[in-house]
Amino acid sequence: MGDMTTATPRGYTATKDQLQGRLRRIEGQVRGVGKMVDEDRYCIDVLTQISAIQAALDKVALGLLDDHARHCMQHGAEEGKGEEMATEMMAAVGRLLRRG
């Protein structure tokens, strides 16, 4: 039996600090958009910042997908769960692509 106190390493574990830094920057951008709305800033300026936030989130998501494909799915395939995990990943990709 495995040690229940040790978390399973994820594909992003090696770059977790970098990932958390990116997410903190995105969080700051979102707060900045809220401040822009509070200050009644020009609509197009607010939309430009929202677009930048979406692009930053997309970059994070693509990095997570890459890590998942290279790490988690490889381990899943070794355990005989490759097909299940491929289906799961494609569903996640579908959710990421459905916007608006």
Side-chain angles (χ1 to χ4, degrees):
M1 228 180 244
D3 181 8
M4 299 303 272
T5 60
T6 305
T8 302
R10 303 294 177 196
Y12 59 82
T13 299
T15 59
K16 193 173 189 176
D17 290 340
Q18 181 184 12
L19 176 62
Q20 288 175 328
R22 284 180 187 228
L23 291 170
R24 280 191 295 276
R25 283 191 296 279
I26 293 167
E27 183 181 11
Q29 287 177 291
V30 172
R31 281 193 306 271
V33 168
K35 186 176 177 185
M36 290 175 78
V37 170
D38 287 343
E39 296 171 352
D40 293 321
R41 298 279 295 272
Y42 185 54
C43 300
I44 300 302
D45 292 341
V46 176
L47 291 170
T48 298
Q49 290 306 309
I50 290 171
S51 178
I53 292 165
Q54 287 174 331
L57 283 170
D58 286 346
K59 190 170 183 176
V60 168
L62 285 173
L64 287 170
L65 282 171
D66 183 67
D67 290 340
H68 183 71
R70 295 175 191 276
H71 179 268
C72 301
M73 289 187 67
Q74 179 181 352
H75 289 289
E78 290 169 0
E79 295 173 1
K81 297 189 280 183
E83 186 65 31
E84 173 188 339
M85 294 189 78
T87 300
E88 180 183 53
M89 187 174 95
M90 291 311 298
V93 170
R95 287 189 300 274
L96 285 168
L97 294 177
R98 273 183 263 158
R99 282 204 203 141

